[in-house]
Structures are given as C-alpha cells and as structure tokens.
C-alpha cells in the first residue's frame, strides 16, 4: 500500500508528459522539439513546400535590367476611365495616384544620363491648345528622354508640326495616330534612328472603348557618351536597350 503514492505520482508525470507531447505535435511549428513524431501525424500534401512567388524587379518587371540601364514600364490609359502610368527606375513619374495625368498626351521629360525627372505634364488633345504642347517639346536639349503615354484621345489636336517633332524624337507611328488610339512611346532628342520603344493600338470604329497599350520589360542604356541610337538589347536579354 505504501507504493500507491509513488505510483500515482509517476502516473501523473507520465500523463502530463504525454499531454505535453501531444500539444507539441498539434501546435508545434518549425521550432517543435519532436519533428519526427510530428511527421507521423502530418499528411504528405501538407509537407510539400509551397512554390515561391515570382520575384519582381524595378517597376514590376519580371527580369532585372543590366547595370547602367534605366528600367521602365509604361501603360496607356484604358478608355477614359483608367489613367496611364509611367514608371522609371522604380519611381512612378506619372499616374492617377500622383494626380498628374489627364486626357490627351502624358509626357515625362527625363535626363538621358542621370535618369532624373526634368518635368512631367499632361496635354489635352481634344479641347486643349496644341501650342502648349509645341512650346513644351520644341526646346528640348539633346539627349533628353521623352516618355509618352496616351489617355482617351491623343491625336485630335495634332498638327503637322507636332507629328514631325515626335517623328524626329524617334516615333514611326505618330504620323498615322488617330482619334482614341492607344499610344506609348519613348524617344530622345538627337537620336539617329527610330525607337523600338513604341506601341500603338488602334481604336475600333464599332467600339470606342479602347484597350490598354503597354511597354514593359524594357530598359534604356544611358552610356557615358550620350544618346545616339535606340536599339534592342542582345538576344536573350530581358530588357531592350537604348545604346549610346
């Protein structure tokens, strides 16, 4: 009978120990002291490691851009509802959130060497004065990068001089740009060829609600010698380049 007391104590200790182990298995995480026991109670499906999310780089690009390149991503406005976006080096230059976009042409001027924003403005190409746009792009200095994203209507107020100025900046599509076309374009003052950084989506006569036009996974090689030509990157690179 004297052994009844010690047996009760041992039984209590065993019960507490088993309870603690069970709780450790049920509630234990990566720091559990019983990983092997825990594995016995874990289904094979739950032990599969979740696939890692795709890494995003500057401006949400899927691949990194080479050194001495300016990474950018642009999206035109969708109909007259969603505003355009211009992102450069992970900095949003123009967007609805920044409250600096508007109907027509949204243009950001950037230093072609440092990548610093010079000025960003929106020009109403439906009811505005085209002379405001001409005064903005006529005096550009050589090497200035010009980022353009349309919103609603980019072309109604365009005249021959406007189209020629954008053509001189490297655009090959501006001459045919029409009412409510979607247009994104990157050009530069003083370039000697047509830009590969341009996309146009024509508006449909039966559906004036145009879709998005975007230019992404792109970069600009600033180079030490100034901007001379706009060229695609070597094959296999994730970004196109503006080569000096």
């Amino acid at each position: 009978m004297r052994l009844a007391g010690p047996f009760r104590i041992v039984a209590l200790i065993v019960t507490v120990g088993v309870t603690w182990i069970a709780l450790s298995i049920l509630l234990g995480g990566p720091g559990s002291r019983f990983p092997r026991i825990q594995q016995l109670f874990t289904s094979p499906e739950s032990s599969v490691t979740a696939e890692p999310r795709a890494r995003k780089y500057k401006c949400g690009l899927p691949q990194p851009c080479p050194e001495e390149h300016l990474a950018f991503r642009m999206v035109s406005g969708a109909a007259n509802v969603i505003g355009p976006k211009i992102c450069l080096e992970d900095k949003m230059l123009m967007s609805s959130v920044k409250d600096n976009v508007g109907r027509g042409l949204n243009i950001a001027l950037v230093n072609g060497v440092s990548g610093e924003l010079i000025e960003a403005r929106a020009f109403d190409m439906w009811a505005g004065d085209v002379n405001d746009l001409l005064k903005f792009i006529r005096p550009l200095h050589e090497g200035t990068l010009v980022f353009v994203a349309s919103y609603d209507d980019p072309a109604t107020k365009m005249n021959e001089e406007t189209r020629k100025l954008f053509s001189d900046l490297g655009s090959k599509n501006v001459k045919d740009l029409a009412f409510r076309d979607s247009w994104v374009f990157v050009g530069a003052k003083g370039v000697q060829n047509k830009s590969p950084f341009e996309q146009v989506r024509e508006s449909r006569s039966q559906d004036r609600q145009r879709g998005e036009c975007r230019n992404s996974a792109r970069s600009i090689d600033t180079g030490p010698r100034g901007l001379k030509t706009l060229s695609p990157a070597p094959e296999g690179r994730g970004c196109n380049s503006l080569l000096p």
Side-chain angles (χ1 to χ4, degrees):
M1 299 299 293
R2 294 180 180 179
L3 297 177
F7 277 128
R8 289 179 181 176
I9 295 175
V10 171
L12 179 61
I13 293 174
V14 170
T15 302
V16 171
V18 171
T19 303
W20 181 69
I21 292 173
L23 290 175
S24 297
I25 293 173
L26 293 175
L27 303 178
S32 174
R33 296 184 181 181
F34 303 95
R36 292 185 179 179
I37 297 177
Q38 188 173 356
Q39 288 175 4
L40 296 175
F41 295 88
T42 305
S43 63
E45 291 80 4
S46 63
S47 63
V48 177
T49 304
E51 293 184 5
R53 292 183 179 180
R55 182 177 177 183
K56 295 294 183 181
Y57 298 89
K58 291 179 180 179
C59 293
L61 299 181
Q63 297 183 29
C65 294
E67 294 183 5
E68 297 186 358
H69 284 58
L70 301 177
F72 73 92
R73 180 173 181 268
M74 299 197 303
V75 182
S76 70
N80 57 355
V81 180
I82 302 174
K85 296 179 182 179
I86 301 177
C87 177
L88 177 68
E89 283 295 287
D90 231 17
K91 296 179 181 178
M92 195 62 70
L93 304 185
M94 302 189 76
S95 70
S96 297
V97 174
K98 292 182 68 69
D99 196 24
N100 63 348
V101 297
R103 178 176 64 181
L105 296 179
N106 297 270
I107 303 177
L109 304 181
V110 173
N111 185 301
V113 176
S114 67
E116 293 296 321
L117 176 66
I118 299 172
E119 189 174 359
R121 287 184 59 184
F123 298 89
D124 189 341
M125 301 304 290
W126 169 253
D129 187 350
V130 71
N131 288 309
D132 293 337
L133 173 60
L134 292 173
K135 291 175 183 177
F136 187 69
I137 59 178
R138 276 173 184 158
L140 296 181
H141 296 292
E142 186 147 334
T144 300
L145 294 171
V146 182
F147 292 78
V148 184
S150 69
Y151 186 18
D152 192 29
D153 177 24
T156 296
K157 288 286 185 173
M158 274 196 178
N159 56 22
E160 185 176 345
E161 183 183 0
T162 308
R163 295 179 190 271
K164 184 181 185 304
L165 286 172
F166 280 115
S167 180
D168 292 343
L169 294 172
S171 172
K172 56 183 176 291
N173 296 313
V174 68
K175 65 182 185 298
D176 299 318
L177 200 65
F179 173 68
R180 272 197 162 176
D181 284 350
S182 294
W183 184 41
V184 289
F185 164 68
V186 180
K189 179 71 172 181
V191 294
Q192 299 172 355
N193 70 327
K194 293 302 181 182
S195 173
F197 308 112
E198 182 175 26
Q199 292 181 14
V200 174
R201 176 173 292 178
E202 296 179 357
S203 62
R204 300 177 181 179
S205 57
Q206 70 273 18
D207 182 9
R208 291 300 185 183
Q209 298 302 313
R210 51 190 175 79
E212 292 184 20
C213 183
R214 61 181 66 229
N215 214 341
S216 60
R218 299 289 188 266
S219 71
I220 298 171
D221 186 353
T222 58
R225 294 168 289 170
L227 303 173
K228 296 298 180 184
T229 62
L230 297 165
S231 305
E235 186 176 355
R237 299 297 286 270
C239 299
N240 286 339
S241 303
L242 191 156
L243 301 175

